[in-house]
Amino acid sequence: MFSLFSFQLPQPLLNVLIGVVLFWLVKYLFYTIKRIRSLPPGPWGLPIVGYLPFLKDHVYLQFDQLSKKYGPVYCLKLGDFDVVLVCDWPHLKDATSNDALLARPYETLIPGGGDNRGFSEMSGEPWRQHKRLSLHILRNVGLGKSKIETLIKEEIDQFLATLDTGGEPVDFSEKIYPSISNNISILLFGHKYDYNDPAKIAMDRAQMGFTSLFKFAGVLAFLPWLTKVFFLLGKFDVQFIQKNAQAIEKFIQDEVDRHRENYNENHEVVDYIDGYLEERKRREKQNIPEDTFTLDTAKRNAGAFFGAGSETVHSTMEWAILYLVKYPEYQDKIRSEIADVIGFENRPDFADRARMPFTMAFIHEVQRIESIIANNLLRRASEDTKIGNHFIPKDTLVMFNFWSVNHDPKLWVNPDKFDPTRYLTEDGTKAVKPPYLIPFSAGKRNCPGEGLAYVELFLYLVCMVQRYRIKVEPGTEISFEAVFGISRRPANLPLFIFEKITQ
């Protein structure tokens, strides 16, 4: 019977094959060692998986601890990738202004989700074109203008009505999320939704489910080839993540379909989808290749804007409400500013923030101490570069640990203490946000919705404190334990009582 072991290669050919294999191994080891020696120092991991098995849920805390041992810039082998962590302000400031660190990883944000990318996942010229177009459209339809502030105020009026429960405790997170996501819906889709709209309820739940489980620094990001295996085995919540991603895509697909049905060249551009369809028509008329300007990209962009425009503000407001209840004296201080600047009969304007320094200081301190986005979306070095004196080879991934900067005792006195007064000038008349507080990142890849987020945070906070005394039932424990997905959110948000203030 034929046996594999009975098969023999001629000795000369066998010698050649052995030589080729040895040459390849030596060459691989040489370049691997050379690359490791060129990277910043860091801990050794395991073969294939690197340091991944040692990472826990709150990776930003581990990244911070490792920086105390290996320095503020160090390297981890995470799965398939060399990842450089940046954990202090001087190097972070340098990195965010470095054009060689604007690229994204070659893999898409959701491994296994196909090759289609949104502009937040793009690199190089495609990213620049889509960012330029997106900002142009969003500004034309209201971003940064008084029009959107007026619409946000109208939305807040509807939201406040849901808190009028006659003193009965309410699920604050459940009440505020559909309101906040309505604001970004106006810019993206040209309208908001009724709180009872089944499609919108499903979209909000899918978005919250996705952002609660997906992690920028998770296993799927660094071992993308395992995604299909995990999906089949039902591991690492891959099925749930993809199910929610598909629900989000379907919601946006329905919006795109409606816009396409109603689109004509004389139609006024009132939202992002309109503007994107108009750009596609312009390119078609001028015989410009479609390239990345596809309907799939439009959907991906809209999904990214919807998620980013909802999640950060929602998480920040959850933390803010906890601190208002934990420290009722801060409610009193904000309410005192409201009495002096706005009164209790008038709606607040975003311009009022200039005369309400403690209110703005409170918002800044919530952003700092809770570091809502503790790590950034991964970056990739598009060429050999440096961060400070540290050499960063081409295609190395780079991650910023904002948590470390926000809790650095060199920058903040008693960094673990919640203290809004740290932003106030000596006479208390101004709130000064230091340059190293960057809750929306910095540089050319900072969050384009930063301005909108601050409008929402200020108006929602002021409107609630202006109208209600916020508290919990006696004996309720206030916990600041967090859960970490894309953002950090309170793990145990209690029910809140919104007691109407009578003048």
Side-chain angles (χ1 to χ4, degrees):
M1 181 180 291
F2 176 80
S3 169
L4 178 65
F5 298 103
S6 65
F7 179 76
Q8 293 184 346
L9 289 172
Q11 190 63 40
L13 181 57
L14 183 61
N15 292 340
V16 171
L17 287 175
I18 292 173
V20 169
V21 171
L22 288 174
F23 174 78
W24 182 86
L25 284 173
V26 170
K27 183 179 179 181
Y28 173 79
L29 288 172
F30 173 78
Y31 282 107
T32 299
I33 293 170
K34 181 180 178 182
R35 183 175 177 85
I36 290 173
R37 287 174 62 86
S38 69
L39 287 163
W44 287 88
L46 302 175
I48 301 177
V49 294
Y51 202 77
L52 273 178
F54 306 107
L55 295 184
K56 300 176 183 177
D57 287 341
H58 295 271
V59 294
Y60 53 91
L61 296 177
Q62 289 176 273
F63 292 158
D64 185 57
Q65 287 300 315
L66 288 170
S67 73
K68 291 173 172 53
K69 179 177 181 180
Y70 295 100
V73 179
Y74 63 93
C75 184
L76 290 176
K77 184 73 172 178
L78 296 178
D80 297 338
F81 305 98
D82 294 317
V83 183
V84 169
L85 272 296
V86 183
C87 299
D88 74 337
W89 172 241
H91 291 97
L92 185 57
K93 181 181 179 182
D94 182 31
T96 54
S97 62
N98 186 343
D99 285 357
L101 297 176
L102 294 174
R104 293 296 190 205
Y106 292 114
E107 286 286 338
T108 54
L109 178 63
I110 308 172
D115 294 329
N116 183 49
R117 296 171 182 267
F119 92 97
S120 62
E121 302 165 277
M122 294 177 178
S123 305
E125 189 57 29
W127 164 68
R128 280 185 280 272
Q129 290 179 359
H130 277 271
K131 180 181 180 182
R132 187 162 53 244
L133 173 66
S134 296
L135 289 176
H136 173 73
I137 296 171
L138 291 172
R139 286 167 180 161
N140 281 350
V141 300
L143 183 65
K145 298 181 180 179
S146 59
K147 173 185 174 182
I148 192 64
E149 182 178 340
T150 299
L151 294 173
I152 290 172
K153 291 176 186 175
E154 292 174 359
E155 172 58 40
I156 291 175
D157 286 342
Q158 294 188 60
F159 160 68
L160 292 178
T162 70
L163 303 180
D164 291 336
T165 60
E168 290 297 315
V170 300
D171 185 330
F172 177 73
S173 183
E174 186 180 85
K175 296 292 185 184
I176 197 170
Y177 193 92
S179 178
I180 289 171
S181 61
N182 259 348
N183 296 324
I184 192 64
S185 295
I186 293 168
L187 291 171
L188 296 177
F189 312 127
H191 63 93
K192 59 183 181 180
Y193 298 81
D194 187 88
Y195 294 160
N196 297 318
D197 187 313
K200 179 61 163 36
I201 291 172
M203 172 64 166
D204 287 342
R205 286 178 178 170
Q207 188 65 56
M208 290 179 70
F210 176 83
T211 54
S212 67
L213 289 174
F214 185 80
K215 301 177 187 294
F216 292 151
V219 172
L220 300 184
F222 300 115
L223 289 173
W225 52 272
L226 281 181
T227 301
K228 292 182 179 179
V229 177
F230 291 157
F231 184 83
L232 292 173
L233 296 177
K235 300 293 185 181
F236 295 98
D237 299 308
V238 174
Q239 291 177 321
F240 189 66
I241 290 172
Q242 292 193 339
K243 179 182 177 181
N244 286 322
Q246 289 165 1
I248 294 167
E249 183 177 355
K250 182 185 182 305
F251 178 89
I252 295 173
Q253 179 68 63
D254 291 342
E255 279 289 353
V256 171
D257 289 343
R258 280 193 288 270
H259 279 70
R260 293 182 71 193
E261 289 173 7
N262 298 327
Y263 178 80
N264 64 70
E265 294 185 15
N266 298 319
H267 176 70
E268 181 185 1
V269 173
V270 297
D271 57 48
Y272 176 77
I273 301 297
D274 278 344
Y276 199 96
L277 293 176
E278 184 177 74
E279 173 64 14
R280 279 174 51 81
K281 180 62 67 175
R282 183 190 71 81
R283 295 172 73 89
E284 181 183 327
K285 283 184 176 180
Q286 297 181 12
N287 295 317
I288 301 174
E290 185 179 65
D291 293 331
T292 58
F293 287 84
T294 66
L295 291 176
D296 284 339
T297 303
K299 290 188 296 181
R300 195 84 163 196
N301 287 351
F305 281 129
F306 187 92
S310 304
E311 178 63 19
T312 307
V313 175
H314 176 235
S315 299
T316 306
M317 289 308 305
E318 287 186 330
W319 287 115
I321 209 84
L322 272 181
Y323 282 101
L324 286 175
V325 173
K326 179 68 174 179
Y327 302 104
E329 64 270 24
Y330 293 156
Q331 278 194 61
D332 294 338
K333 288 186 178 182
I334 294 172
R335 197 171 290 115
S336 176
E337 286 191 333
I338 291 170
D340 292 342
V341 176
I342 305 167
F344 292 89
E345 301 299 326
N346 301 317
R347 276 181 176 174
D349 295 323
F350 186 51
D352 293 328
R353 72 192 187 283
R355 294 186 293 158
M356 300 178 66
F358 185 84
T359 302
M360 290 306 299
F362 178 85
I363 292 172
H364 294 325
E365 183 66 346
V366 171
Q367 292 174 317
R368 180 199 70 83
I369 198 166
E370 294 304 339
S371 297
I372 314 311
I373 303 298
N375 309 122
N376 68 311
L377 189 59
L378 286 165
R379 307 235 187 148
R380 175 178 58 84
S382 56
E383 59 187 58
D384 289 350
T385 188
K386 282 189 171 185
I387 298 177
N389 294 322
H390 300 277
F391 178 68
I392 310 297
K394 180 181 179 181
D395 290 334
T396 301
L397 300 186
V398 177
M399 179 171 282
F400 307 145
N401 202 41
F402 298 125
W403 175 273
S404 295
V405 175
N406 289 338
H407 292 79
D408 187 347
K410 296 177 183 176
L411 302 174
W412 312 96
V413 177
N414 297 324
D416 295 329
K417 179 184 178 183
F418 185 80
D419 181 14
T421 63
R422 67 175 80 244
Y423 304 93
L424 299 177
T425 55
E426 286 189 15
D427 60 5
T429 60
K430 290 184 180 180
V432 179
K433 184 169 89 66
Y436 39 84
L437 179 62
I438 50 172
F440 299 93
S441 192
K444 295 178 181 178
R445 289 214 86 137
N446 72 322
C447 176
E450 178 175 354
L452 175 65
Y454 274 115
V455 173
E456 292 179 276
L457 291 172
F458 178 80
L459 293 179
Y460 274 89
L461 178 67
V462 170
C463 284
M464 285 192 295
V465 177
Q466 182 186 46
R467 186 165 177 169
Y468 305 103
R469 228 169 240 104
I470 309 165
K471 56 186 182 179
V472 292
E473 292 184 317
T476 302
E477 182 181 352
I478 301 296
S479 169
F480 289 93
E481 182 183 352
V483 290
F484 182 54
I486 286 180
S487 67
R488 292 183 75 257
R489 296 176 55 195
N492 301 293
L493 202 66
L495 298 179
F496 294 101
I497 297 171
F498 290 83
E499 184 181 81
K500 215 166 197 180
I501 295 173
T502 55
Q503 298 301 313

